[in-house]
Amino acid sequence: MLDVYVNIKSLMGVHSTPVTVLKGKAMDSIDTVDDAYLIVRDGRVAEFGPMRDFKARYANGCGADARCHDLSGCYVIPAFVDAHTHIVYSGSREQEYEDKIRGLSYAEIAKRGGGILNTAAHLHSTSEDELFDQSMRRLEQCISFGTAAIEIKSGYGLSTEDELKMLRVIRRMKECSPITIKSNFLAAHAFPKAYRDDHDGYVDLIVNEMIPRVADEDLADFIDVFCDEGFFTVSQTACILEAGLKYGLKPKIHANELAVSGGVQVGVEHGALSVDHLERIGDDEIACLRDSSTMATALPGASFFLGMPYAPLRRMIDEGLAVALASDCNPGSSPSASMKFVLSLASIKMRLTPVEALNAVTVNAACAMDLAGEYGRIVKGGKANFIVTKPMPSFSYFSYAYTEDLTRQVVVNK
Ligand code: NIG
Ligand code: FE
């Protein structure tokens, strides 16, 4: 199958050198071909370049099997990589949304047994098949928003059987999904009711029972801990990450959402692929990230939805760091998988330029989920994963017009 896209207003993200991570100032540049063509053969990028080359090379057409797409006025950008989601869950939590409107905080709701525990109870009484169906519908929506690779966490099971149920659902999704999925084992998301007064007992259960079973069935790529005030401590986090590392599970953690928790440091010390949230960070955390290969990942959807501060990405980029952005799609703190909205929030609320934000959800996000170099850019010979926009006056218009549906087509291949 041959698809020929012509008259593309601008083809973005065609990094010619093998870029795997963009830091500091480099985040504000992107390799682009204006007035371009792009040829996709059997799901791979066969060639691209300026239209003048196309006209010279293909004066007699591209062959009878070619499907031609005229993209006058449209942009082509790399498809998004969503490196932090919780899209396997059951039900929804709009009751808590109302509680928040009436003045309760996320932490107060969690303390009352709401929040993560609420979704865990729902998930417990949902069959694996039903959970799979609900989650597949969400995945389809993610793809329609332009996502071509996604990380999905467990963490609403909080018992061995229910955590395994979630991870088996993710495995089934991997098998039938048209996009790449990575699974992240997050039993350390909250303390279940039975362990309310025995936190170390739950850590023991994770370390000695859950992790070996997860590894035995090869159900996870990564391991995660919610290292924050009121949740898992730094030493509990270290203990869980070390147990996971023994089985080859790479850390990617939740840190510094509710307080300066020490999560950044413990993540970096354990070679985490990413430390995520970072709404509360100071000089020490920034210094620690600067000397590491851990990706700082912000989740502005959660800040928006919970009315929290935004991670200080402007400062972090100015200080030379590499940053990524993800949706954090989940029923409690970020019920949206729209990466376009994430781009808008990054620019409107965090002062990233539209190009910095795009690099944060493509090249750098791929790095945050161990897909560096493979996803997040358009390269010759690489898998064709891109978004075709509707006609737009400029690339900045894409996130500026923050409620306008500007996606004309999403092309994904894994
Ligand atoms: O990343 N912060 C912890 N976990 C999720 C929220 C999960 C939930 O509230 O259901 C997050 O925001
Ligand atoms: Fe999260």
Side-chain angles (χ1 to χ4, degrees):
M1 186 59 75
L2 196 69
D3 283 285
V4 181
Y5 301 85
V6 295
N7 299 322
I8 303 166
K9 183 168 182 180
S10 189
L11 174 64
M12 299 179 74
V14 291
H15 300 279
S16 44
T17 43
V19 180
T20 53
V21 61
L22 294 163
K23 292 187 178 193
K25 282 196 172 60
M27 286 196 66
D28 203 17
S29 70
I30 189 160
D31 288 352
T32 292
V33 184
D34 292 333
D35 192 21
Y37 76 100
L38 167 68
I39 299 182
V40 175
R41 181 178 293 114
D42 299 328
R44 289 199 173 259
V45 175
E47 59 177 277
F48 59 79
M51 276 306 287
R52 61 173 181 279
D53 290 359
F54 179 82
K55 284 173 189 153
R57 226 170 270 171
Y58 298 101
N60 301 320
C62 304
D65 67 333
R67 288 189 302 204
C68 197
H69 312 257
D70 183 352
L71 301 189
S72 299
C74 305
Y75 286 72
V76 170
I77 61 175
F80 305 131
V81 174
D82 196 350
H84 180 137
T85 82
H86 308 249
I87 63 166
V88 171
Y89 62 85
S90 181
S92 51
R93 301 224 301 266
E94 62 275 19
Q95 179 53 52
E96 290 172 12
Y97 164 70
E98 282 195 38
D99 293 342
K100 268 174 238 136
I101 293 165
R102 293 182 206 286
L104 285 186
S105 71
Y106 183 76
E108 283 162 343
I109 290 169
K111 238 188 202 146
R112 294 198 322 185
I116 295 165
L117 295 187
N118 183 352
T119 300
H122 218 290
L123 186 133
H124 180 68
S125 55
T126 304
S127 73
E128 195 171 309
D129 285 345
E130 170 58 21
L131 190 59
F132 173 76
D133 289 345
Q134 285 191 31
S135 306
M136 276 308 288
R137 284 200 293 277
R138 288 184 203 112
L139 182 69
E140 280 153 19
Q141 193 182 43
C142 295
I143 298 168
S144 75
F145 286 152
T147 295
I150 192 167
E151 180 254 28
I152 310 175
K153 300 173 195 295
S154 69
Y156 293 121
L158 311 181
S159 70
T160 305
E161 282 320 311
D162 287 346
E163 283 294 314
L164 291 175
K165 174 162 88 177
M166 289 190 77
L167 292 172
R168 289 184 191 123
V169 164
I170 301 173
R171 180 167 61 195
R172 277 171 73 184
M173 294 170 79
K174 282 186 180 186
E175 283 161 10
C176 65
S177 149
I179 69 169
T180 289
I181 297 176
K182 296 265 188 168
S183 60
N184 192 347
F185 173 60
L186 174 60
H189 198 193
F191 293 99
K193 272 205 193 94
Y195 288 89
R196 195 173 38 204
D197 302 317
D198 182 16
H199 288 186
D200 286 339
Y202 185 55
V203 173
D204 269 357
L205 182 78
I206 294 174
V207 167
N208 295 314
E209 184 176 298
M210 294 192 194
I211 291 175
R213 298 243 345 237
V214 168
D216 194 43
E217 286 189 44
D218 197 14
L219 285 171
D221 302 297
F222 309 134
I223 187 157
D224 202 330
V225 178
F226 187 10
C227 180
D228 223 317
E229 193 175 84
F231 290 84
F232 292 78
T233 64
V234 166
S235 65
Q236 289 165 341
T237 303
C239 176
I240 294 167
L241 297 186
E242 280 156 26
L245 278 164
K246 281 193 196 132
Y247 290 94
L249 302 177
K250 296 188 182 178
K252 261 175 80 65
I253 71 168
H254 285 73
N256 299 49
E257 174 183 1
L258 308 172
V260 178
S261 65
V264 170
Q265 287 84 345
V266 72
V268 168
E269 275 161 27
H270 289 82
L273 280 166
S274 69
V275 288
D276 304 10
H277 270 293
L278 312 180
E279 286 84 355
R280 333 259 167 179
I281 75 171
D283 296 347
D284 290 351
E285 284 73 20
I286 291 180
C288 170
L289 284 162
R290 191 183 296 112
D291 302 327
S292 79
S293 57
T294 298
M295 184 62 65
T297 302
L299 313 170
S303 299
F304 171 78
F305 189 76
L306 298 179
M308 289 189 306
Y310 288 81
L313 291 199
R314 179 70 272 145
R315 176 176 166 211
M316 291 160 77
I317 295 172
D318 290 345
E319 297 212 17
L321 264 55
V323 305
L325 291 155
S327 75
D328 194 20
C329 182
N330 75 75
S333 68
S334 183
S336 163
S338 167
M339 294 296 278
K340 178 177 180 287
F341 187 53
V342 167
L343 289 178
S344 298
L345 288 176
S347 290
I348 297 163
K349 296 291 190 182
M350 301 162 114
R351 295 180 40 238
L352 268 63
T353 67
V355 165
E356 286 173 332
L358 181 62
N359 282 322
V361 298
T362 54
V363 173
N364 284 1
C367 198
M369 59 180 283
D370 217 10
L371 294 172
E374 282 180 68
Y375 280 80
R377 57 203 187 111
I378 295 169
V379 279
K380 203 172 160 186
K383 292 166 195 153
N385 287 299
F386 56 84
I387 296 166
V388 179
T389 73
K390 292 178 183 168
M392 304 192 296
S394 66
F395 172 64
S396 302
Y397 188 87
F398 188 71
S399 57
Y400 152 85
Y402 69 98
T403 58
E404 195 173 333
D405 176 11
L406 289 164
T407 302
R408 166 174 162 158
Q409 189 189 354
V410 178
V411 174
V412 293
N413 288 282
K414 72 170 175 184

